[in-house]
Amino acid sequence: MESIALIGASGSLGKAITSALSAKSTPYRVIGRSESSLRATFGADPLATIATWNPDDPESIRQALAGIDTAIYMVGVNYWQFELHPQLMKKSLDGAISADVKKLLLIGTVYPYGRPQTERVSEDHPRQPHTFKGRMRKEQEDLVLAAHESGKIQTAILKLPDFYGPGVDKSFLWSAFQAAKTGKRAQLVGPIDTPHEFVHVPDAGVTVARLIAEPGAWGSTWNLGSVGVTSTRAMAEEIFAQAGHKPKFMVAGKTMLRIFGLFNPLLREMVEMHYLLTTPVILDDSRLKNLLGELPKTPYKEGIRQTLASI
Protein backbone atom coordinates (compact mmCIF):
# COMPACT_ATOMS: atom_id res chain seq x y z
CA MET A 1 0.00 0.00 0.00
CA GLU A 2 1.33 3.42 -0.96
CA SER A 3 1.99 5.89 1.84
CA ILE A 4 0.06 9.16 1.68
CA ALA A 5 0.77 12.53 3.27
CA LEU A 6 -1.40 15.63 3.49
CA ILE A 7 0.61 18.85 3.62
CA GLY A 8 -1.42 21.58 5.27
CA ALA A 9 -4.03 19.13 6.52
CA SER A 10 -5.75 21.06 9.30
CA GLY A 11 -8.41 22.78 7.18
CA SER A 12 -11.87 21.49 6.35
CA LEU A 13 -10.75 19.89 3.08
CA GLY A 14 -7.92 18.07 4.83
CA LYS A 15 -10.42 16.64 7.31
CA ALA A 16 -12.69 15.56 4.46
CA ILE A 17 -9.83 13.81 2.65
CA THR A 18 -8.67 11.99 5.78
CA SER A 19 -12.26 10.90 6.45
CA ALA A 20 -12.39 9.42 2.96
CA LEU A 21 -9.05 7.67 3.47
CA SER A 22 -10.14 6.34 6.86
CA ALA A 23 -13.34 4.96 5.32
CA LYS A 24 -11.09 2.80 3.11
CA SER A 25 -8.82 1.88 6.07
CA THR A 26 -5.95 3.74 4.39
CA PRO A 27 -3.17 5.00 6.68
CA TYR A 28 -2.02 8.58 6.17
CA ARG A 29 0.36 11.19 7.53
CA VAL A 30 -0.66 14.75 8.34
CA ILE A 31 1.96 17.49 8.09
CA GLY A 32 1.68 20.97 9.55
CA ARG A 33 3.43 23.55 11.65
CA SER A 34 1.65 22.85 14.95
CA GLU A 35 1.88 19.38 16.48
CA SER A 36 -0.71 20.23 19.14
CA SER A 37 -3.22 21.35 16.53
CA LEU A 38 -2.66 18.24 14.43
CA ARG A 39 -3.02 15.98 17.46
CA ALA A 40 -6.23 17.72 18.50
CA THR A 41 -7.70 17.12 15.04
CA PHE A 42 -6.31 13.74 14.02
CA GLY A 43 -4.88 12.18 17.19
CA ALA A 44 -7.89 9.94 17.79
CA ASP A 45 -7.57 8.22 14.40
CA PRO A 46 -5.31 5.15 14.66
CA LEU A 47 -4.65 5.42 10.91
CA ALA A 48 -3.04 8.84 11.31
CA THR A 49 0.59 9.67 11.96
CA ILE A 50 1.68 13.22 12.66
CA ALA A 51 4.69 15.16 11.43
CA THR A 52 5.61 18.81 11.79
CA TRP A 53 7.53 20.90 9.30
CA ASN A 54 9.07 24.27 8.79
CA PRO A 55 8.53 25.09 5.10
CA ASP A 56 11.47 27.50 5.19
CA ASP A 57 13.85 24.67 6.18
CA PRO A 58 14.68 22.20 3.37
CA GLU A 59 15.76 19.49 5.78
CA SER A 60 12.55 19.86 7.76
CA ILE A 61 10.51 19.37 4.58
CA ARG A 62 12.56 16.34 3.57
CA GLN A 63 12.17 14.72 6.98
CA ALA A 64 8.43 15.36 7.11
CA LEU A 65 8.02 13.64 3.73
CA ALA A 66 10.48 10.80 4.27
CA GLY A 67 8.99 7.46 3.22
CA ILE A 68 5.98 9.04 1.49
CA ASP A 69 4.84 7.93 -1.95
CA THR A 70 2.01 10.43 -2.59
CA ALA A 71 1.69 13.96 -1.19
CA ILE A 72 -1.45 16.08 -1.28
CA TYR A 73 -0.57 19.77 -1.09
CA MET A 74 -3.12 22.27 0.26
CA VAL A 75 -1.04 24.79 2.17
CA GLY A 76 -2.93 28.02 2.74
CA VAL A 77 -1.57 31.52 3.21
CA ASN A 78 -3.13 34.74 4.44
CA TYR A 79 -5.33 36.28 1.76
CA TRP A 80 -3.07 39.32 1.73
CA GLN A 81 0.13 37.25 1.29
CA PHE A 82 -0.48 35.38 -1.97
CA GLU A 83 3.10 36.02 -3.10
CA LEU A 84 3.98 33.16 -0.71
CA HIS A 85 2.13 30.54 -2.78
CA PRO A 86 4.82 30.05 -5.47
CA GLN A 87 7.61 30.44 -2.91
CA LEU A 88 6.23 27.71 -0.64
CA MET A 89 5.39 25.52 -3.62
CA LYS A 90 8.96 25.56 -4.91
CA LYS A 91 10.40 24.74 -1.50
CA SER A 92 7.90 21.92 -1.04
CA LEU A 93 8.55 20.44 -4.48
CA ASP A 94 12.30 20.55 -3.89
CA GLY A 95 11.84 18.85 -0.54
CA ALA A 96 9.49 16.23 -1.97
CA ILE A 97 11.94 15.38 -4.74
CA SER A 98 14.78 15.19 -2.21
CA ALA A 99 12.68 12.80 -0.11
CA ASP A 100 11.95 10.61 -3.17
CA VAL A 101 8.22 11.32 -3.08
CA LYS A 102 6.79 9.77 -6.24
CA LYS A 103 3.64 11.85 -6.76
CA LEU A 104 2.23 15.20 -5.65
CA LEU A 105 -1.31 16.54 -6.08
CA LEU A 106 -1.90 20.28 -5.78
CA ILE A 107 -5.36 21.36 -4.66
CA GLY A 108 -5.87 24.48 -6.77
CA THR A 109 -8.46 27.15 -7.47
CA VAL A 110 -10.23 28.81 -10.40
CA TYR A 111 -8.13 31.97 -9.99
CA PRO A 112 -5.58 31.19 -12.76
CA TYR A 113 -8.32 31.00 -15.38
CA GLY A 114 -9.06 34.72 -14.99
CA ARG A 115 -12.35 36.00 -16.39
CA PRO A 116 -14.27 33.14 -18.03
CA GLN A 117 -14.35 33.17 -21.82
CA THR A 118 -16.93 30.37 -22.04
CA GLU A 119 -20.14 29.58 -20.18
CA ARG A 120 -18.51 26.53 -18.65
CA VAL A 121 -14.78 26.37 -18.05
CA SER A 122 -12.93 23.19 -18.94
CA GLU A 123 -9.27 22.39 -18.29
CA ASP A 124 -8.48 23.64 -21.80
CA HIS A 125 -9.64 27.17 -20.97
CA PRO A 126 -6.77 29.69 -21.26
CA ARG A 127 -5.03 30.55 -18.03
CA GLN A 128 -4.99 34.33 -18.30
CA PRO A 129 -5.26 35.73 -14.77
CA HIS A 130 -5.81 39.48 -14.59
CA THR A 131 -5.41 39.66 -10.80
CA PHE A 132 -2.35 39.43 -8.58
CA LYS A 133 -3.82 36.45 -6.73
CA GLY A 134 -4.53 34.70 -10.00
CA ARG A 135 -0.98 35.30 -11.22
CA MET A 136 0.48 33.92 -7.99
CA ARG A 137 -1.69 30.82 -8.24
CA LYS A 138 -0.69 30.39 -11.89
CA GLU A 139 2.99 30.61 -10.92
CA GLN A 140 2.30 27.92 -8.34
CA GLU A 141 0.65 25.72 -10.95
CA ASP A 142 3.47 26.31 -13.43
CA LEU A 143 5.99 25.02 -10.88
CA VAL A 144 3.92 21.88 -10.33
CA LEU A 145 3.54 21.22 -14.06
CA ALA A 146 7.24 21.89 -14.72
CA ALA A 147 8.21 19.43 -11.98
CA HIS A 148 6.27 16.72 -13.78
CA GLU A 149 7.91 17.60 -17.09
CA SER A 150 11.32 17.28 -15.42
CA GLY A 151 10.65 13.61 -14.76
CA LYS A 152 11.74 13.92 -11.13
CA ILE A 153 8.21 13.57 -9.70
CA GLN A 154 4.72 12.93 -11.05
CA THR A 155 2.29 15.77 -10.36
CA ALA A 156 -1.32 16.75 -10.97
CA ILE A 157 -3.64 19.63 -10.12
CA LEU A 158 -7.26 19.47 -8.97
CA LYS A 159 -9.15 22.75 -9.24
CA LEU A 160 -12.09 23.43 -6.94
CA PRO A 161 -14.67 26.22 -6.88
CA ASP A 162 -16.06 27.62 -3.62
CA PHE A 163 -17.03 24.88 -1.21
CA TYR A 164 -19.26 24.52 1.82
CA GLY A 165 -20.14 21.85 4.33
CA PRO A 166 -19.57 20.79 7.94
CA GLY A 167 -16.68 22.72 9.45
CA VAL A 168 -16.21 25.02 6.45
CA ASP A 169 -15.98 28.41 8.14
CA LYS A 170 -14.19 30.12 5.24
CA SER A 171 -17.12 30.18 2.84
CA PHE A 172 -19.38 32.83 1.38
CA LEU A 173 -22.22 30.87 3.00
CA TRP A 174 -20.83 30.49 6.52
CA SER A 175 -22.50 33.66 7.83
CA ALA A 176 -25.85 32.39 6.51
CA PHE A 177 -25.43 29.08 8.35
CA GLN A 178 -24.54 30.81 11.60
CA ALA A 179 -27.31 33.40 11.32
CA ALA A 180 -29.95 30.84 10.36
CA LYS A 181 -29.34 28.86 13.52
CA THR A 182 -30.22 31.87 15.66
CA GLY A 183 -32.56 33.82 13.40
CA LYS A 184 -30.10 36.69 13.09
CA ARG A 185 -29.10 38.60 9.97
CA ALA A 186 -26.52 37.04 7.65
CA GLN A 187 -23.71 39.07 6.11
CA LEU A 188 -23.37 38.14 2.43
CA VAL A 189 -21.11 39.36 -0.37
CA GLY A 190 -23.00 40.26 -3.53
CA PRO A 191 -24.33 40.32 -6.09
CA ILE A 192 -26.14 37.25 -4.78
CA ASP A 193 -28.35 36.43 -7.80
CA THR A 194 -25.63 35.58 -10.34
CA PRO A 195 -24.96 31.92 -11.19
CA HIS A 196 -22.63 30.24 -8.72
CA GLU A 197 -21.55 26.76 -7.67
CA PHE A 198 -20.54 25.35 -4.32
CA VAL A 199 -18.90 21.96 -3.86
CA HIS A 200 -19.87 19.99 -0.76
CA VAL A 201 -16.53 19.45 0.95
CA PRO A 202 -17.06 15.75 1.81
CA ASP A 203 -17.61 15.16 -1.93
CA ALA A 204 -14.27 16.81 -2.65
CA GLY A 205 -12.59 14.62 -0.04
CA VAL A 206 -13.88 11.41 -1.63
CA THR A 207 -12.88 12.64 -5.09
CA VAL A 208 -9.32 13.42 -4.00
CA ALA A 209 -8.96 9.98 -2.41
CA ARG A 210 -10.10 8.38 -5.67
CA LEU A 211 -7.99 10.63 -7.88
CA ILE A 212 -4.65 9.90 -6.23
CA ALA A 213 -5.28 6.17 -6.66
CA GLU A 214 -5.83 6.53 -10.41
CA PRO A 215 -2.70 5.98 -12.53
CA GLY A 216 -4.11 8.14 -15.31
CA ALA A 217 -4.42 11.19 -13.07
CA TRP A 218 -0.80 12.27 -13.21
CA GLY A 219 0.60 14.88 -15.54
CA SER A 220 -2.76 16.62 -15.93
CA THR A 221 -5.02 19.30 -14.50
CA TRP A 222 -8.54 18.36 -13.44
CA ASN A 223 -11.68 20.35 -12.59
CA LEU A 224 -14.25 19.33 -9.98
CA GLY A 225 -17.59 21.09 -10.32
CA SER A 226 -20.63 21.07 -8.07
CA VAL A 227 -23.93 19.22 -8.26
CA GLY A 228 -25.33 22.11 -10.30
CA VAL A 229 -25.51 25.86 -10.76
CA THR A 230 -27.28 27.82 -8.05
CA SER A 231 -26.92 31.30 -6.53
CA THR A 232 -25.91 32.70 -3.17
CA ARG A 233 -29.47 33.92 -2.63
CA ALA A 234 -30.99 30.52 -3.38
CA MET A 235 -28.56 28.85 -0.99
CA ALA A 236 -29.14 31.40 1.77
CA GLU A 237 -32.91 31.09 1.46
CA GLU A 238 -32.73 27.30 1.68
CA ILE A 239 -30.41 27.52 4.69
CA PHE A 240 -32.85 29.77 6.57
CA ALA A 241 -35.84 27.66 5.51
CA GLN A 242 -34.29 24.47 6.84
CA ALA A 243 -33.40 26.24 10.08
CA GLY A 244 -37.02 27.36 10.46
CA HIS A 245 -36.38 31.10 10.17
CA LYS A 246 -37.36 33.80 7.72
CA PRO A 247 -34.38 34.81 5.53
CA LYS A 248 -32.61 37.94 6.74
CA PHE A 249 -29.39 39.15 5.22
CA MET A 250 -27.34 42.23 4.43
CA VAL A 251 -25.50 42.23 1.11
CA ALA A 252 -22.13 43.96 0.75
CA GLY A 253 -21.16 44.84 -2.81
CA LYS A 254 -17.80 45.93 -4.16
CA THR A 255 -18.09 49.50 -2.85
CA MET A 256 -18.99 48.29 0.63
CA LEU A 257 -16.05 45.89 0.59
CA ARG A 258 -13.75 48.80 -0.20
CA ILE A 259 -15.10 50.75 2.76
CA PHE A 260 -14.97 47.85 5.19
CA GLY A 261 -11.54 46.99 3.80
CA LEU A 262 -10.12 50.18 5.30
CA PHE A 263 -10.32 48.35 8.63
CA ASN A 264 -10.24 44.68 7.62
CA PRO A 265 -7.38 43.30 5.46
CA LEU A 266 -9.37 40.23 4.40
CA LEU A 267 -12.26 42.30 3.04
CA ARG A 268 -9.80 44.69 1.41
CA GLU A 269 -8.25 41.81 -0.52
CA MET A 270 -11.65 40.44 -1.55
CA VAL A 271 -12.21 43.49 -3.75
CA GLU A 272 -9.68 42.19 -6.28
CA MET A 273 -11.55 38.90 -6.68
CA HIS A 274 -15.04 40.41 -6.79
CA TYR A 275 -15.23 39.62 -10.52
CA LEU A 276 -15.95 36.01 -9.54
CA LEU A 277 -19.37 37.16 -8.32
CA THR A 278 -20.20 39.18 -11.43
CA THR A 279 -18.61 36.93 -14.08
CA PRO A 280 -18.54 33.58 -12.26
CA VAL A 281 -16.35 30.66 -13.28
CA ILE A 282 -18.54 27.55 -13.63
CA LEU A 283 -16.37 24.45 -13.96
CA ASP A 284 -16.83 21.70 -16.52
CA ASP A 285 -15.65 18.46 -14.91
CA SER A 286 -16.65 16.04 -17.66
CA ARG A 287 -12.99 15.08 -18.16
CA LEU A 288 -12.69 14.06 -14.49
CA LYS A 289 -15.92 12.07 -14.78
CA ASN A 290 -14.51 10.24 -17.79
CA LEU A 291 -11.46 9.34 -15.72
CA LEU A 292 -13.11 8.31 -12.45
CA GLY A 293 -16.67 7.45 -13.43
CA GLU A 294 -19.64 8.89 -11.56
CA LEU A 295 -18.52 11.61 -9.15
CA PRO A 296 -20.02 12.17 -5.69
CA LYS A 297 -22.41 15.13 -5.93
CA THR A 298 -24.48 15.77 -2.81
CA PRO A 299 -27.72 17.66 -3.59
CA TYR A 300 -27.68 21.17 -2.16
CA LYS A 301 -30.63 20.53 0.17
CA GLU A 302 -28.91 17.53 1.70
CA GLY A 303 -25.56 19.33 1.97
CA ILE A 304 -27.27 22.21 3.75
CA ARG A 305 -29.01 19.80 6.11
CA GLN A 306 -25.71 18.14 7.03
CA THR A 307 -23.99 21.47 7.55
CA LEU A 308 -26.73 22.85 9.80
CA ALA A 309 -26.66 19.64 11.84
CA SER A 310 -22.94 20.10 12.44
CA ILE A 311 -23.20 23.62 13.89
Side-chain angles (χ1 to χ4, degrees), residues 106-125:
L106 166 65
I107 305 299
T109 76
V110 302
Y111 292 9
Y113 286 132
R115 288 190 178 90
Q117 300 176 25
T118 54
E119 183 177 352
R120 286 189 173 271
V121 173
S122 74
E123 294 87 347
D124 294 327
H125 187 283

Side-chain angles (χ1 to χ4, degrees), residues 2-4 29 62-70 99-101:
E2 290 196 344
S3 53
I4 298 168
R29 182 183 304 172
R62 191 192 65 77
Q63 289 183 4
L65 289 169
I68 292 297
D69 296 306
T70 302
D100 293 324
V101 173

Side-chain angles (χ1 to χ4, degrees), residues 53-66 91-92 95-96 99:
W53 77 328
N54 174 2
D56 294 321
D57 180 353
E59 180 59 20
S60 173
I61 300 172
R62 191 192 65 77
Q63 289 183 4
L65 289 169
K91 293 174 182 177
S92 299

Side-chain angles (χ1 to χ4, degrees), residues 123-183:
E123 294 87 347
D124 294 327
H125 187 283
R127 292 185 303 145
Q128 296 177 342
H130 60 285
T131 62
F132 174 75
K133 291 178 180 57
R135 290 193 296 273
M136 293 301 98
R137 280 293 206 173
K138 181 178 180 296
E139 283 190 24
Q140 181 189 47
E141 290 185 357
D142 289 344
L143 289 166
V144 171
L145 297 172
H148 185 87
E149 289 298 318
S150 76
K152 297 177 180 178
I153 188 172
Q154 295 184 73
T155 66
I157 300 168
L158 178 66
K159 292 176 179 284
L160 303 178
D162 291 329
F163 48 85
Y164 77 105
V168 183
D169 59 358
K170 293 179 176 63
S171 164
F172 282 123
L173 299 175
W174 183 241
S175 175
F177 281 111
Q178 288 183 304
K181 293 287 284 191
T182 59

